[in-house]
Amino acid sequence: MIESSNEAADREPVELHPERPHPARVYDYLLGGNTNFASDRAFAEAALKLNEGTRTTARSNREFLRRAVTFLTRDAGIRQFIDIGTGLPTSPNVHEIAHSIAPESRVVYTDNDPIVAAHARALLTSEPGTGPTTYIEADLRKPETILSQAHEILDFTQPIGLLLIAVTHHLKNDEDPQAVVAAVVDALPSGSYLALSQITDEFRPEQWHAIEADFARRGSVLTPRPRASIEQFFTGLEKVDPGLQVVNRWRPEESDAYKDLSEGECSLLGAVARKA
Ligand SMILES: C[S@@+](CC[C@H](N)C(=O)[O-])C[C@H]1O[C@@H](n2cnc3c(N)ncnc32)[C@H](O)[C@@H]1O
C-alpha cells in the first residue's frame, strides 16, 4: 500500500512479538544489525551451530546485492528499481548504491512484513535532490498488487531492475515460485534485468535441511533449492557473465571480504539476467 504521511500516522501500532524469532530480525542479527531481540539472537545462534556458514551466507549475499546494483546502474544504465523482500533497512541500501552513481534513480521497496514496513518508512528515504524512494507493503505472491502500485511511480516504458535478493527461499515449492517470479518479469519492459539470489542445498544438504526443519517448527518457511530449480527463475532471460554462481564469485572485487568462501560456506546461488 502506498501511503501519505497522514495515513501512515493513523495506522495500527505494529505487534513486534519480541518473544518469537522473526526472519527479518534474525537476518538483521546475522548481518550485525541492532534491530533484533533475544529470541532472534538465540534462533540465529542455533542456526549457526547447525551450519557455522550461516553468517557468511548472509553477509556475502549483501555484498552480491551491492555489486549487482552497481552493475545495473553503472554498466547497464538502469535508473529504476523494484526491490521485493527488501528486509530491515541495512546500509548501503539500494537507493544509496544507485544514487552514488546516478542520483536520479528511483527505487520502489516492497516487503510483506509489517515490522519491515515500520522501519522502512522511516529509513528508506532519499536525500533531497535525488530520485524518489517509495515503500509498498505487499506480498511477492500477489505480483499484481506490487505492479499496479509500481506503475504509479515508475515509467514502465523504460527498463527496470527487479531485485529478488534472498526472498524466493521464503516461498514453498507448492506456491510455484518460478511462476510468481515470471509474472513480475513478464510485466517489465524489454531491456529490464532480474537480479536474484536464493539459498541452495547443493553443497551442504544436511545442514540446510536441518535449518529448513527448524524454520518449519517455528511456523516460518525456508526452502533451500537445487541449482536446476534456481536456474528456472531465469527462464527466457539472458544471464550476464558469469551466469548462475555462488554469490561471492559473482564479479567479486579485490576488496571483498567474502570472495574466497567455499561454495558450501556461501550456499547462495545468484545471477543477473536481461530481458530481451
Ligand atoms: C533474508 S531477508 C532478505 C533481505 C534483502 N533482500 C537482502 O538480501 O539483504 C528476506 C526478506 O523477504 C521478506 N519476504 C519473505 N516472504 C515474502 C513475500 N512473500 N513477499 C514479500 N517479502 C517477503 C521477509 O520479510 C524478509 O524481509
Side-chain angles (χ1 to χ4, degrees):
M1 175 169 34
I2 304 170
E3 291 176 328
S4 72
S5 50
N6 282 347
E7 284 168 323
D10 288 345
R11 74 191 339 257
E12 293 287 312
V14 174
E15 264 310 329
L16 293 179
H17 290 297
E19 74 288 358
R20 275 190 227 153
H22 183 282
R25 296 193 308 240
V26 170
Y27 182 70
D28 176 74
Y29 175 68
L30 291 169
L31 289 175
N34 297 318
T35 314
N36 51 71
F37 295 107
S39 64
D40 306 309
R41 295 189 282 274
F43 180 75
E45 289 298 335
L48 286 165
K49 282 204 180 93
L50 291 168
N51 178 5
E52 61 188 18
T54 307
R55 178 170 276 130
T56 44
T57 297
R59 292 183 178 176
S60 58
N61 178 60
R62 212 55 216 179
E63 287 291 290
F64 170 69
L65 167 76
R66 184 184 58 73
R67 296 193 305 276
V69 174
T70 300
F71 165 80
L72 290 172
T73 317
R74 188 188 59 202
D75 304 330
I78 296 293
R79 296 292 180 267
Q80 337 182 68
F81 294 87
I82 304 178
D83 179 16
I84 304 179
T86 187
L88 285 162
T90 303
S91 200
N93 236 304
V94 175
H95 70 283
E96 294 166 327
I97 302 162
H99 286 169
S100 72
I101 300 162
E104 71 275 25
S105 302
R106 299 170 182 204
V107 181
V108 171
Y109 289 109
T110 303
D111 205 286
N112 70 341
D113 186 324
I115 295 174
V116 172
H119 290 275
R121 288 199 177 87
L123 295 175
L124 296 179
T125 55
S126 46
E127 292 292 320
T130 60
T133 62
T134 307
Y135 184 80
I136 300 173
E137 188 175 347
D139 195 304
L140 171 59
R141 291 165 296 184
K142 293 193 177 151
E144 61 288 351
T145 309
I146 297 175
L147 288 164
S148 69
Q149 296 186 35
H151 266 275
E152 295 174 24
I153 300 143
L154 305 181
D155 175 359
F156 273 68
T157 68
Q158 297 300 315
I160 291 171
L162 171 62
L163 308 173
L164 291 170
I165 308 295
V167 59
T168 51
H169 50 235
H170 293 301
L171 269 56
K172 298 177 192 165
N173 286 329
D174 63 12
E175 291 174 316
D176 201 352
Q178 284 83 4
V180 168
V181 171
V184 187
V185 172
D186 285 351
L188 302 181
S190 163
S192 293
Y193 284 80
L194 168 65
L196 181 148
S197 65
Q198 128 100 58
I199 289 174
T200 183
D201 52 10
E202 286 285 339
F203 312 111
R204 290 183 172 177
E206 280 171 28
Q207 289 96 322
W208 282 107
H209 292 154
I211 294 175
E212 180 179 13
D214 206 13
F215 262 77
R217 268 194 296 279
R218 294 164 199 267
S220 289
V221 175
L222 185 87
T223 315
R225 295 196 164 89
R227 172 181 280 273
S229 165
I230 299 172
E231 281 281 4
Q232 287 170 13
F233 288 120
F234 299 95
T235 302
L237 304 176
E238 192 182 329
K239 292 190 220 66
V240 303
D241 284 344
L244 187 65
Q245 264 291 354
V246 277
V247 293
N248 63 315
R249 297 187 191 166
W250 192 90
R251 301 185 179 223
E253 290 161 7
E254 201 43 52
S255 58
D256 283 349
Y258 303 106
K259 66 179 187 308
D260 297 324
L261 294 182
S262 68
E263 290 175 314
E265 283 169 320
C266 181
S267 284
L268 267 157
L269 287 170
V272 176
R274 184 175 183 276
K275 179 175 176 178

